[in-house]
Amino acid sequence: MPVDTVPDVVQQVARESHGRLLAYLSVQTRDVARAEDALSEAFLAALRTWSRDGIPESPAAWLLTTARRQLRDASRGETRQRSHLEALSHMLSTVPEREIDELPDERLRLMLACAHEALAPDVHAPLMLQAVLGLDAETIARAYLVSPATMSQRLVRAKLRLRTAGISFDFPEPQRLSQRLSSVLDAIYTAFSSGWDAGLETSHRLGGLADEAVWLARLVVRLLPDEPEPLGLLAMLLFAQARRPARRDARGRFVPLLDQDVRQWDAGLIEEADRLLAFAATLGRPARFQLEAAIQSCHSDRRRTGAVPWPHLVGLYDGLIALAPSLGALVGRAAAIGQWRGAELALEALDRLDPQVRDQYQPYWSTRAHFLAELGDHAAAVAAYRRAQALTEDPSVRDFLQERAAAIESPGGSAR
Amino acid sequence: MKFAMLIHEPASEFAKRQGPEAGAYWAGWMAYSEALRTSGAMVGGAGLEPPDAATTLRLADGKRQIHDGPFADSKEQLGGFYLLDVPSLDVALDWAARCPGAPTGSIEIRPLLPPPPQAT
């Protein structure tokens, strides 16, 4: 094989096996930072030696062996000794070299540790993205709109805590699994939204992590095929992905859900999501993500039937609010009620929300503005659109709200 | 895995140790300690006299500086500690959540350092 393909091979192996190898080494050493160092040393060694000696038959196995040797050497020369390193070094030398596919897949254990409640919630997703997907701090920082230095510091701190705080890498006991799993799913969801929001800024994903989040969700589904909530999360993400092409018009302007051209939705993704959700339902344990996905499924129905089943949607919101009463769900429910039974009832529902929290929430104001305009209360609608505008970070959404307000203000405008 | 569970209590909790609420206060702690002991999770621990019983020493240039009271003046003060031996942090957190001090104060959980390395 020509020498110049070595970096390509290394990159390919990195993409395919980084997570597997790191998870395995992390669970063995209970030290993600150390495992990462050893693995990146192994990748560097690969770049050096493969171009000289040729690419090994099983690149991943070669990397694992090299990383293990690194760990062993590091623990030998370590003055800051910790008792289990001795045992570890023995164990590592006795584990026979194996093909990567024969290694136990420890990525779920790694993800569970990354999303442990003893770590700050805002680091769960970044840690997972780095540990399982091998993303660097800079890429993650871009998606989370913080400086690379800040993100890198957060990650270092979290990895230190993973080692010192007593967080277990063991698979949780059955009674703990659903709670531990839900923080993994939450983290994947925040990774998805971060990519989503950042993706709004440009027509193409720049530093967006939505695809990576979908990949992680698929992984959890594969590793825990009979847990309904991972299925619900994956379905929800796929519904959102399916609509992505329709979220912008040809000029890059924001298009709200109900105005989107359903022909631009990805039918394949919607069908897959519906299938996943249907299977989740057979497991008989409805919970938050399944309900959120079912809500998205209702909206996606418009592609097939031309209409959103509003009463059904309100019922789903009721279920979701009973489980997890978020402001987003309450506003969503009010909007669905308005579509089903008229603007007055939507405004009534919005009025009942706690002013303390709703006043800082952009969708509250844009939903309110929409129904005020429908009732012909133009002055109040414009004022509400202005409030919504002031709470929006996304420039294209801001433009959209601005246009809506302008359309109401100038008679003959095309207010919906 | 061994953990120290440090119980930080506000002044209002220390105050309950005497007076009309003392019965309920101590009953809670006795029951909790008993549950910890019988579960096998507890390997040690003690309650501490209130912070005003503390004496704090610093050695500055070889000279003793002693002041009455705890080392830091904060809203919550160490009121006692347990030493646990449990399979994981999760189990330690479960015990912390059941602690009578949890609703009013804060329960800090710290792994004990592993035994020092043997000299070779």
Side-chain angles (χ1 to χ4, degrees):
Chain A
M1 199 173 280
V3 165
D4 62 357
T5 64
V6 165
D8 295 342
V9 174
V10 171
Q11 204 175 35
Q12 195 192 332
V13 178
R15 212 171 13 238
E16 282 165 11
S17 355
H18 180 277
R20 282 288 290 271
L21 291 170
L22 185 69
Y24 180 76
L25 292 167
S26 301
V27 168
Q28 299 283 318
T29 57
R30 322 240 138 190
D31 188 340
V32 175
R34 202 173 265 263
E36 257 177 5
D37 288 348
L39 193 56
S40 53
E41 282 295 324
F43 274 109
L44 284 178
L47 281 172
R48 275 196 310 271
T49 55
W50 292 1
S51 31
R52 192 187 61 215
D53 305 340
I55 292 160
E57 204 165 300
S58 170
W62 188 95
L63 286 163
L64 182 62
T65 309
T66 310
R68 282 206 307 237
R69 196 176 307 128
Q70 284 289 338
L71 280 168
R72 205 155 55 224
D73 294 350
S75 71
R76 241 186 238 133
E78 189 71 40
T79 45
R80 175 187 56 114
Q81 280 193 30
R82 287 175 305 116
S83 52
H84 67 260
L85 279 176
E86 295 289 321
L88 163 74
S89 136
H90 174 71
M91 183 190 62
L92 287 176
S93 60
T94 53
V95 176
E97 186 168 320
R98 279 185 286 188
E99 290 298 318
I100 178 92
D101 291 340
E102 294 169 31
L103 282 183
D105 192 335
E106 307 286 29
R107 286 177 293 183
L108 188 59
R109 282 165 72 176
L110 182 59
M111 281 193 270
L112 286 161
C114 290
H116 196 279
E117 59 181 337
L119 299 173
D122 63 358
V123 83
H124 290 178
L127 201 52
M128 241 185 251
L129 290 162
Q130 179 150 81
V132 180
L133 288 170
L135 294 191
D136 57 31
E138 211 180 313
T139 309
I140 301 170
R142 208 156 47 224
Y144 281 83
L145 308 175
V146 299
S147 76
T150 304
M151 182 53 75
S152 163
Q153 206 175 14
R154 260 185 225 169
L155 287 165
V156 167
R157 246 197 99 215
K159 282 176 222 162
L160 182 70
R161 275 187 63 74
L162 269 180
R163 198 185 73 217
T164 57
I167 294 168
S168 167
F169 282 78
D170 293 342
F171 201 76
E173 303 90 330
Q175 75 272 16
R176 243 183 260 280
L177 179 64
S178 79
Q179 192 242 321
R180 293 279 310 271
L181 186 60
S182 84
S183 57
V184 170
L185 301 179
D186 282 344
I188 293 175
Y189 180 58
T190 70
F192 183 84
S193 340
S194 84
W196 197 253
D197 295 341
L200 287 176
E201 302 283 337
T202 56
S203 59
H204 196 60
R205 51 184 287 265
L206 171 74
L209 297 174
D211 292 343
E212 284 77 2
V214 169
W215 194 93
L216 287 175
R218 283 191 192 281
L219 180 63
V220 178
V221 165
R222 201 163 70 230
L223 297 173
L224 284 175
D226 292 330
E227 279 295 319
E229 277 294 87
L231 289 160
L233 172 68
L234 178 56
M236 181 174 120
L237 302 188
L238 293 180
F239 283 125
Q241 286 283 66
R243 295 202 294 259
R244 181 168 241 180
R247 281 166 61 99
R248 306 277 120 160
D249 67 10
R251 284 194 280 158
R253 291 177 309 181
F254 172 77
V255 184
L257 177 54
L258 292 177
D259 293 344
Q260 287 173 13
D261 178 359
V262 296
R263 288 166 305 179
Q264 289 179 20
W265 291 353
D266 185 323
L269 286 179
I270 291 175
E271 274 159 30
E272 185 189 355
D274 274 326
R275 252 194 333 271
L276 292 165
L277 195 55
F279 176 61
T282 65
L283 299 170
R285 281 180 285 152
R288 181 195 152 195
F289 283 121
Q290 292 166 74
L291 286 164
E292 300 235 29
I295 287 167
Q296 299 310 316
S297 174
C298 279
H299 282 293
S300 302
D301 270 0
R302 192 158 67 81
R303 189 182 62 91
R304 285 184 298 114
T305 64
V308 179
W310 295 111
H312 186 47
L313 195 62
V314 171
L316 289 169
Y317 271 121
D318 286 337
L320 180 61
I321 289 162
L323 276 175
S326 71
L327 189 55
L330 289 163
V331 171
R333 179 179 179 276
I337 284 180
Q339 296 291 343
W340 174 26
R341 301 175 58 193
E344 282 103 341
L345 288 177
L347 291 170
E348 253 181 61
L350 289 171
D351 283 339
R352 280 199 297 272
L353 303 181
D354 179 0
Q356 292 278 328
V357 281
R358 74 181 189 200
D359 284 358
Q360 304 305 316
Y361 188 60
Q362 185 263 110
Y364 164 79
W365 288 107
S366 51
T367 306
R368 187 175 186 85
H370 171 83
F371 289 111
L372 285 168
E374 212 173 273
L375 285 181
D377 191 346
H378 290 169
V382 168
Y385 273 128
R386 298 267 182 257
R387 283 293 290 268
Q389 240 177 296
L391 294 168
T392 305
E393 283 174 24
D394 185 326
S396 68
V397 173
R398 205 155 45 224
D399 291 348
F400 163 79
L401 295 167
Q402 162 68 32
E403 274 169 39
R404 281 281 155 103
I408 297 171
E409 276 180 322
S410 69
S414 61
R416 187 166 58 92
Chain B
M1 185 162 192
K2 291 203 176 75
F3 293 91
M5 190 160 76
L6 310 174
I7 320 289
H8 301 278
E9 291 179 281
S12 55
E13 284 298 293
F14 283 105
K16 287 183 192 164
R17 292 180 175 190
Q18 272 108 32
E21 289 178 274
Y25 176 89
W26 290 115
W29 284 104
M30 300 294 272
Y32 179 67
S33 302
E34 189 52 29
L36 258 180
R37 222 184 334 261
T38 49
S39 77
M42 182 176 159
V43 293
L48 301 177
E49 290 290 348
D52 55 19
T55 308
T56 303
L57 175 144
R58 277 171 215 277
L59 216 49
D61 299 324
K63 250 180 76 186
R64 288 177 176 206
Q65 290 185 344
I66 292 180
H67 85 100
D68 54 339
F71 93 98
D73 204 17
S74 62
K75 248 167 70 184
E76 290 174 351
Q77 292 286 347
L78 192 60
F81 66 94
Y82 292 95
L83 297 178
L84 308 183
D85 192 356
V86 289
S88 70
L89 177 62
D90 298 284
V91 180
L93 285 168
D94 286 350
W95 278 113
R98 296 180 200 118
C99 176
T104 50
S106 50
I107 317 298
E108 182 178 341
I109 297 164
R110 281 221 226 162
L112 300 194
L113 275 176
Q118 264 108 45
T120 45

